[in-house]
Amino acid sequence: MGATDAAATVDAGMDPALVETIQRIEEGDVLVVNGDSRTWDVTDVVDRSIEDPSDARESKRVCRLSCGASVFGLELVAYPDRYTASLHVLATEDWTEDGQVFDVHDVERLTQQVPWVVVTGGGDTYHFPDPQAAAFGEAQPACGGGNPGASYRVVRSNTVRPTYSGCKDCLRHEKPVALESVTCPSCSKSICHGILQGAAVGAVDGLSLTCPHCDFEGVADVVLDH
């Protein structure tokens, strides 16, 4: 991340999609900022109007981010004609970052909304299911981590969230994307729908299939709900 002084701002041409992403952040979200290796928990969000007529700012939104012992503040400031975004270091394990302010050029809200997760007894973390293991009726974390030797089970995510926290490796690397209903190109019968996982799922634009209704064999176009 490139450091700047506290008065510096992001280019007035700040990407509207980035502004919208920051505006939609909620407490409990999990973020990646500027592609950094840290995965942040959003522990608080404050929106504040600025009424001082001598202040050019109209409002600001500050998100408190936590990762281990590090605490940063993600700030979005609204002006009459533009937005600026900055990342303020409030507490850090790295003394070289102490007191710095960073430009913000990318914020990713990691998807936590999946219908099924895997957990182990006595744990407090849920994982995304390993699709290959699930195909054989087994419950294993998609990240390949978890507790070695532990016995996992598949549960509905709404039975453990928000009591359990999501595995950061699963959230960051599996990137689940909803797959809209796939139909046979020949007979239009519905074949499947669900969720795709993996870092490269965004590049998927078709599925190779054999239709059980008309015996079509080939590739069907797919639509992913990014």
Side-chain angles (χ1 to χ4, degrees):
M1 292 183 288
T4 182
D5 61 64
T9 61
V10 177
D11 189 325
M14 185 175 170
D15 184 357
L18 175 56
V19 174
E20 182 179 359
T21 296
I22 299 175
Q23 289 174 332
R24 295 175 61 185
I25 291 172
E26 300 176 348
E27 183 178 345
D29 280 353
V30 180
L31 310 179
V32 175
V33 180
N34 290 346
D36 188 69
S37 61
R38 284 169 288 202
T39 307
W40 298 98
D41 291 303
V42 180
T43 59
D44 197 8
V45 178
V46 175
D47 290 293
R48 184 165 298 166
S49 298
I50 299 174
E51 308 293 344
D52 185 349
S54 64
D55 194 326
R57 300 173 299 170
E58 293 183 333
S59 64
K60 67 177 181 179
R61 156 172 271 241
V62 181
C63 305
R64 186 179 179 88
L65 312 182
S66 175
C67 178
S70 296
V71 179
F72 284 20
L74 172 61
E75 182 179 73
L76 177 70
V77 177
Y79 292 86
D81 59 347
R82 71 190 192 281
Y83 288 91
T84 65
S86 53
L87 190 64
H88 300 250
V89 180
L90 307 179
T92 180
E93 299 170 284
D94 183 353
W95 65 268
T96 65
E97 293 181 329
D98 194 27
Q100 292 198 55
V101 179
F102 298 97
D103 293 338
V104 175
H105 55 76
D106 181 70
V107 175
E108 180 183 6
R109 296 173 72 204
L110 299 179
T111 300
Q112 302 181 68
Q113 300 296 335
V114 294
W116 301 94
V117 295
V118 297
V119 297
T120 184
D124 58 3
T125 301
Y126 68 82
H127 299 263
F128 292 161
D130 181 332
Q132 291 184 324
F136 291 95
E138 300 174 358
Q140 293 294 331
C143 63
N147 299 327
S151 176
Y152 285 88
R153 67 185 189 279
V154 178
V155 299
R156 288 192 176 275
S157 62
N158 58 10
T159 65
V160 296
R161 295 183 59 241
T163 305
Y164 284 42
S165 60
C167 165
K168 296 298 191 296
D169 284 339
C170 287
L171 292 173
R172 183 166 184 136
H173 300 296
E174 291 305 311
K175 300 184 183 300
V177 176
L179 173 68
E180 296 186 9
S181 180
V182 178
T183 59
C184 173
S186 177
C187 68
S188 299
K189 292 290 186 180
S190 178
I191 303 297
C192 65
H193 64 87
I195 291 176
L196 296 181
Q197 291 178 193
V201 295
V204 175
D205 58 9
L207 291 180
S208 177
L209 58 85
T210 299
C211 178
H213 302 282
C214 70
D215 295 328
F216 167 85
E217 292 188 13
V219 176
D221 294 336
V222 299
V223 177
L224 302 180
D225 184 12
H226 292 284

